[in-house]
Amino acid sequence: MERKIIETFIRHLKFQGDLPLGDDAGAIKIGGEWLVATNDMLVRATDVPDIMTPEQVGFKVVTMNVSDLAAMGAKPLGFLFSLGVPQDFDLKHLERIARGIARASAFYSIPVLSADTNEACDLIIDGIALGKAERLLLRSNAKPGDLVCVTGDIGRALAGLKVYFENLEVETRVRKVLYEKLLEPKARIKEGQVLSRYANSSIDISDGMSKELHLIAEMSNVKIVIDSERLPIRREVLEVAEILALDPIEIALASGEEFELLFTIPENHLDKIGFDFTVIGKVERGKGVYLKHKGKVEKMPILGWEHFQHFQPKA
Ligand SMILES: [Mg+2]
């Protein structure tokens, strides 16, 4: 459905910017620099697990938006938001959301420039983030020979959701590590700015690594081969996978809202990157995304949250 809605609008909205639609953010050239703009909406009923505090909700709406700036290699300039609020909504709850937005604004050094509010059927926070970059990191610029890399680790957000929805009995330590990523993910703003100088392409992991890899391969017209043994999966995710008799690699590839950066970079630029990351595969000539697993190379399925939807409690 989401795809159909987007296609309907794209049919009518002619591309008029300096960059084709379809990247993490849009951009227009001003002088010698790019002004990068992105928007992302959070709706309480569909985007907010009950365990999230209002402060975490406020923080997350900023993270979702600045993460797209990071994926483009941009430095944050400003954040704007519109708030839809149901009638008689608890003002104290809104105050806690405001606190979360303020905390994120300080954390990412991104000032709030403007805001608006109106009555709505559900709590909706629609954010916009502006940034600037000298060189843009695009999804469409991966080159054969590049190494495929990822920041941080992957899988904790989905593993955390499973712990929550399935009421899994896990050690407090495990729950804490997983919930940290599920409830308070952080965007890789500093990393994005370093990568804007050295990487060829980048995308942030919002819909799951497997979907993002397919987007880069398709938009760059290349083949990507990932080595399953190199995927940075933490012990806590392996523990949850074992309890549920699931494949931890599938969890890692499907886990969304990780906000890690997936990037491709020429090998001779690797030593210029001053932060931790993991090389997980390489870009080749050809098409499609492949997974090297136990000595075999097979097509990587497109996995996502819906792949695991039977884990959601029946409404
Ligand atoms: Mg994105």
Side-chain angles (χ1 to χ4, degrees), residues 161-213:
L161 270 181
K162 286 175 188 305
V163 167
Y164 173 61
F165 280 138
E166 303 251 308
N167 252 326
L168 291 192
E169 299 241 350
V170 293
E171 282 174 47
T172 316
R173 164 190 62 83
V174 174
R175 187 184 302 267
K176 191 166 167 257
V177 167
L178 300 178
Y179 278 14
E180 182 194 14
K181 184 70 165 191
L182 174 66
L183 304 176
E184 295 181 13
K186 305 288 188 311
R188 297 287 187 176
I189 273 291
K190 290 199 182 86
E191 291 85 344
Q193 288 172 71
V194 173
L195 292 174
S196 80
R197 298 211 293 279
Y198 303 113
N200 276 337
S201 71
S202 152
I203 191 168
D204 69 323
I205 301 183
S206 48
D207 294 331
M209 182 184 265
S210 116
K211 281 190 182 170
E212 319 300 3
L213 285 167

Side-chain angles (χ1 to χ4, degrees), residues 212-236:
E212 319 300 3
L213 285 167
H214 279 86
L215 281 171
I216 289 190
E218 198 177 304
M219 291 175 73
S220 299
N221 206 10
V222 293
K223 173 180 172 182
I224 290 178
V225 184
I226 299 297
D227 186 346
S228 69
E229 281 174 17
R230 292 189 174 205
L231 293 173
I233 305 173
R234 285 181 63 156
R235 181 160 58 103
E236 293 80 3

Side-chain angles (χ1 to χ4, degrees), residues 24 67-68 71 139 203-204 206:
D24 284 280
S67 182
D68 282 327
R139 297 171 171 183
I203 191 168
D204 69 323
S206 48

Side-chain angles (χ1 to χ4, degrees), residues 12-179:
H12 290 274
L13 301 172
K14 279 212 188 74
F15 153 66
Q16 289 164 337
D18 295 322
L19 184 72
L21 294 171
D23 230 295
D24 284 280
I28 45 174
K29 202 144 205 189
I30 298 180
E33 275 188 321
W34 290 94
L35 173 68
V36 180
T38 185
N39 52 337
D40 207 337
M41 180 166 73
L42 191 145
V43 178
R44 186 173 57 165
T46 50
D47 299 328
V48 182
D50 301 342
I51 31 167
M52 271 186 115
T53 66
E55 286 84 355
Q56 288 168 336
V57 173
F59 199 106
K60 187 179 164 188
V61 79
V62 182
T63 295
M64 286 158 48
N65 280 281
V66 298
S67 182
D68 282 327
L69 294 182
M72 301 294 284
K75 183 179 159 60
L77 288 176
F79 182 71
L80 303 82
F81 65 95
S82 297
L83 198 62
V85 186
Q87 227 179 1
D88 302 324
F89 196 80
D90 181 16
L91 205 56
K92 281 212 181 79
H93 188 107
L94 285 179
E95 193 173 349
R96 293 178 62 190
I97 290 175
R99 233 179 263 148
I101 292 176
R103 206 190 289 160
S105 155
F107 182 80
Y108 295 116
S109 303
I110 187 169
V112 175
L113 303 180
S114 172
D116 181 39
T117 181
N118 213 327
E119 196 181 312
C121 301
D122 193 3
L123 182 72
I124 298 165
I125 316 173
D126 189 23
I128 294 176
L130 303 175
K132 64 173 180 175
E134 283 174 24
R135 176 177 175 259
L136 292 179
L137 284 173
L138 305 179
R139 297 171 171 183
S140 54
N141 200 40
K143 307 281 186 222
D146 280 0
L147 296 176
V148 181
C149 309
V150 67
T151 59
D153 61 283
I154 47 167
R156 277 189 289 151
L158 183 51
L161 270 181
K162 286 175 188 305
V163 167
Y164 173 61
F165 280 138
E166 303 251 308
N167 252 326
L168 291 192
E169 299 241 350
V170 293
E171 282 174 47
T172 316
R173 164 190 62 83
V174 174
R175 187 184 302 267
K176 191 166 167 257
V177 167
L178 300 178
Y179 278 14

